[in-house]
Amino acid sequence: MDFVQVSEEEGDEPIELPAEEDGTLLISTLQAQFPGSCGLKYRNMDSKAVRGVRSNEGRLFPPNVDSGWGEYVYFCVFPKGIEINRSSAEQLDSPYRPILPPIENKRKSDDNLENSTAKTKRIETRLRCTDLIVLGLAWKTTEDSLREYFESYGEVLMAQIKKDVKSGQSKGFGFVRFGSYEAQMRVLANRHLIDGRWCEVKVPNSKGMGHQVPCKVFVGRCTEDINSDDLREYFSKFGEVTDVFIPRPFRAFSFVTFLDPDVAQSLCGEDHIIKGVSVHVSNAAPKAEQNRTHQGQNYNYNSGNNFGMHSYHPQGNHMNSGRSGHHRVTSQGGNFLSWMAQNNGGHSNSNMNSGSRKGPNNPNNSGSGSMIKGDNSASNDQQNGNSWSNQSSGSQNSVDKSNFL
DNA sequence: GTTGAGCGTT
């Protein structure tokens, strides 16, 4: 039997994983040792470049047909820039931390103590696990096998299959709950081959996102000479700004989106002076009477709560809400990250660390092609692993406009 | 005994 040497990160001590008879390595084998991993890469000896390992239908293929896996030590690929080997708090705080070099935060915190307290608080209040729905289960999958599968990701607190009450027959979906948010995020980020079927794991609709804290604020009384750089620069001292939108033609208001919804919330109702102009910050989700004031035509208010959802850009320093003098966080009950997870549709999105907004525009319709849908193969088994296409974001602008203009 | 998008008797 052929063994493949795999380490979590380049340079780590490798573990030997057994390859299949056909020479491929099952991703499930990989994930049994490296939960959450979705692929392998290795450093090519000649080019010195890192090469990805071909992956298809739950299998990883050796780089060379003849020599197989060779003497390389492979290291793991994790989805969406999820990094591992961090302290648990840091992990929890940055499930989407990009692997790309973080953009250095000019306002690096000088208040680590306060920050860590705030972080802990956020972890407690917002990074709570929710039940996750598992769609597309094989009829034969049991609660035990479901649990067994997901235990490679972390502690499973609950695994249940929904069954017909009379027959006891599985309805083909179930629920699972993890003990750690990190596990939950990894599960949401991955695809899952369970008992021979590709299954989809999502935050259930019933969890809703009805009461999430918006990241976006409305900035009124702007003058024309306040440009987006001015806004970004000014508001960055309160926390990471992920988006600035100024309606054109000039309409004396703009929108600023923060990474941290608490920061956005804390600014609402305040007056701020930018370039000598007193601007007023308020909630970007318009009140009823503001619909008229803002000439709203298509606010989408209460039609899905997509405030700010296009604006999550993990940029290295993630939850750092700014320096001490400006660090203001009010406690909120919202589950920001589960909301993020849902908005991300639970699917890989390689755009997570780009500076652009994400589409599409409907939080409950993340639009990723369901892999189950459209599988018309004669076999009852799903063969179409590639239908998990990355829903890469296309257009950037016009997303927010449709909400607020 | 079949089926294949969905959203949970508690």
Side-chain angles (χ1 to χ4, degrees):
Chain A
M1 182 186 288
D2 204 13
F3 282 88
V4 187
Q5 297 198 59
V6 178
S7 65
E8 192 163 281
E9 288 182 40
E10 189 173 20
D12 288 359
E13 170 132 20
I15 299 175
E16 291 195 332
L17 301 182
E20 300 307 297
E21 284 185 4
D22 64 359
T24 63
L25 177 67
L26 294 176
I27 291 184
S28 53
T29 304
L30 176 69
Q31 290 178 340
Q33 300 301 323
F34 303 100
S37 58
C38 60
L40 288 176
K41 54 191 175 181
Y42 64 102
R43 192 166 293 279
N44 180 269
M45 290 168 184
D46 301 324
S47 68
K48 306 281 190 250
V50 173
R51 287 193 180 175
V53 167
R54 189 169 112 81
S55 167
N56 192 29
E57 294 178 6
R59 292 172 182 269
L60 296 165
F61 293 80
N64 192 304
V65 192
D66 303 319
S67 50
W69 294 93
E71 293 304 306
Y72 285 111
V73 174
Y74 298 81
F75 41 105
C76 294
V77 178
F78 292 90
K80 274 197 299 202
I82 293 175
E83 257 190 306
I84 48 181
N85 275 347
R86 302 278 172 191
S87 74
S88 69
E90 195 179 347
Q91 269 182 2
L92 284 168
D93 217 9
S94 55
Y96 284 136
R97 229 175 113 91
I99 282 174
L100 294 172
I103 295 169
E104 196 59 37
N105 192 329
K106 278 173 272 181
R107 298 177 172 80
K108 206 149 203 164
S109 67
D110 48 9
D111 54 343
N112 286 329
L113 248 179
E114 192 212 348
N115 242 338
S116 71
T117 311
K119 275 185 184 176
T120 306
K121 190 174 174 185
R122 265 199 300 272
I123 289 162
E124 284 167 359
T125 57
R126 301 155 93 201
L127 302 187
R128 220 166 272 148
C129 295
T130 59
D131 290 352
L132 303 178
I133 190 167
V134 189
L135 277 340
L137 289 170
W139 310 119
K140 66 180 178 189
T141 295
T142 65
E143 296 186 339
D144 283 343
S145 65
L146 187 69
R147 171 182 292 271
E148 193 182 349
Y149 171 82
F150 282 117
E151 268 172 350
S152 71
Y153 285 88
E155 186 191 9
V156 174
L157 302 181
M158 178 273 297
Q160 63 176 186
I161 304 271
K162 288 301 159 191
K163 304 176 191 134
D164 183 84
V165 206
K166 292 179 73 176
S167 66
Q169 169 69 257
S170 165
K171 291 183 178 172
F173 72 97
F175 291 88
V176 63
R177 182 148 187 155
F178 289 91
S180 83
Y181 203 86
E182 187 206 346
Q184 167 164 324
M185 294 311 293
R186 284 184 169 165
V187 165
L188 284 167
N190 266 330
R191 34 188 269 172
H192 304 279
L193 186 59
I194 308 172
D195 288 331
R197 279 195 56 96
W198 286 107
C199 300
E200 198 175 10
V201 177
K202 296 153 72 170
V203 175
N205 293 337
S206 52
K207 291 290 170 193
M209 338 181 304
H211 52 282
Q212 299 302 342
V213 188
C215 299
K216 186 177 301 196
V217 297
F218 174 89
V219 183
R221 298 199 304 255
C222 291
T223 55
E224 205 153 7
D225 75 315
I226 299 178
N227 61 34
S228 68
D229 285 342
D230 299 326
L231 290 165
R232 182 178 288 271
E233 186 185 349
Y234 177 81
F235 284 109
S236 286
K237 66 188 176 198
F238 301 107
E240 186 175 332
V241 172
T242 59
D243 188 49
V244 173
F245 178 68
I246 302 178
R248 302 290 178 203
F250 175 68
R251 293 226 260 146
F253 63 87
S254 53
F255 294 101
V256 175
T257 306
F258 294 90
L259 177 61
D260 187 339
D262 289 345
V263 172
Q265 203 277 340
S266 73
L267 293 168
C268 287
E270 294 185 345
D271 293 315
H272 290 258
I273 295 174
I274 305 174
K275 289 174 108 172
V277 176
S278 171
V279 301
H280 184 74
V281 181
S282 60
N283 201 314
K287 296 169 192 163
E289 74 269 18
Q290 284 178 318
N291 273 322
R292 289 187 299 277
T293 312
H294 299 166
Q295 305 174 17
Q297 294 146 11
N298 186 14
Y299 275 94
N300 244 351
Y301 186 48
N302 273 350
S303 64
N305 277 347
N306 45 2
F307 333 92
M309 64 159 288
H310 344 278
S311 307
Y312 179 66
H313 317 300
Q315 287 180 335
N317 244 335
H318 48 279
M319 292 300 193
N320 185 348
S321 294
R323 62 182 171 205
S324 59
H326 297 287
H327 183 86
R328 299 181 299 177
V329 167
T330 56
S331 75
Q332 294 287 336
N335 194 338
F336 175 52
L337 283 173
S338 82
W339 157 88
M340 275 186 0
Q342 183 164 5
N343 280 323
N344 193 33
H347 301 294
S348 296
N349 188 324
S350 54
N351 252 6
M352 286 304 287
N353 42 19
S354 74
S356 62
R357 275 189 289 272
K358 296 197 311 156
N361 201 11
N362 188 335
N364 285 324
N365 253 335
S366 48
S368 328
S370 162
M371 46 175 315
I372 296 165
K373 228 179 266 177
D375 176 13
N376 291 324
S377 60
S379 154
N380 197 22
D381 283 0
Q382 299 160 302
Q383 296 295 330
N384 196 358
N386 284 333
S387 60
W388 284 84
S389 59
N390 271 0
Q391 175 95 8
S392 64
S393 76
S395 63
Q396 304 183 0
N397 288 321
S398 83
V399 181
D400 286 343
K401 296 177 188 173
S402 68
N403 285 335
F404 295 111
L405 294 179

